[in-house]
Amino acid sequence: DKELMNKASVEQVCDFFMYAKEVHNIVANKRSEKGRLCSVLFANDISGVRKAPDKRFSQALTSSSDQYESLYPSLAGPTMILNLPLILQAFVGLLKPLFPKSVQERLVFKRAPVLASLKELTPLGTDPLMKTKFTREVVSLLP
């Protein structure tokens, strides 16, 4: 993320995240037209992360999340932070009660072994069995 942030501004990265979230919104709307209201959830897999993200990257994430919530409050589902290292999981467990109630309800910190086992995400689109396992895992993690 540091290399990215040295090449792009916080605003540019935020704009990219907003673009991706707009695409999610369009897909949720299209799927909702079929009779079932869909919402968008965001899952951040922290497997293999050894240090905190670049401050500028965090600013872009936070800014885009704030903008998304104000533009699409009814579609903003939970944000899942998956596969935190155990020491960070314990730290978050201590801090989470200090978060505002609205934030606590939307943040999910869990282990996701199927996701953690993937070296890349390609099998989720090409392997029906892996896609099914992953989908079941995500559904089981929802609050």
Side-chain angles (χ1 to χ4, degrees):
D1 59 342
K2 187 172 186 157
E3 186 177 336
L4 168 68
M5 297 312 299
N6 286 337
K7 294 179 179 176
S9 70
V10 170
E11 183 177 298
Q12 289 170 320
V13 174
C14 179
D15 286 348
F16 170 77
F17 288 146
M18 286 303 296
Y19 170 78
K21 290 175 182 190
E22 179 63 22
V23 170
H24 295 146
N25 179 58
I26 290 168
V27 171
N29 281 342
K30 283 291 182 196
R31 290 186 177 172
S32 293
E33 289 173 1
K34 296 179 182 176
R36 192 176 88 195
L37 180 62
C38 295
S39 63
V40 177
L41 71 89
F42 296 98
N44 300 293
D45 183 17
I46 312 298
S47 297
V49 173
R50 300 287 178 241
K51 60 182 180 171
D54 186 284
K55 183 179 176 184
R56 299 165 294 174
F57 186 79
S58 295
Q59 289 172 334
L61 273 176
T62 301
S63 178
S64 67
S65 293
D66 291 346
Q67 289 178 49
Y68 183 80
E69 231 175 279
S70 69
L71 290 170
Y72 308 108
S74 62
L75 291 179
T79 296
M80 302 171 78
I81 311 297
L82 305 174
N83 300 316
L84 278 173
L86 289 177
I87 190 75
L88 284 178
Q89 185 82 24
F91 187 64
V92 166
L94 292 172
L95 291 180
K96 191 173 178 184
L98 303 175
F99 298 163
K101 187 92 171 145
S102 61
V103 173
Q104 288 183 41
E105 291 169 356
R106 296 178 43 90
L107 285 177
V108 177
F109 296 92
K110 300 271 180 140
R111 307 286 310 149
V114 172
L115 183 59
S117 73
L118 296 172
K119 300 282 188 253
E120 61 177 66
L121 298 178
T122 304
L124 296 177
T126 59
D127 181 342
L129 179 60
M130 186 55 76
K131 181 178 181 178
T132 299
K133 285 181 179 181
F134 173 73
T135 302
R136 287 181 180 154
E137 180 173 77
V138 169
V139 169
S140 75
L141 297 173
L142 291 172

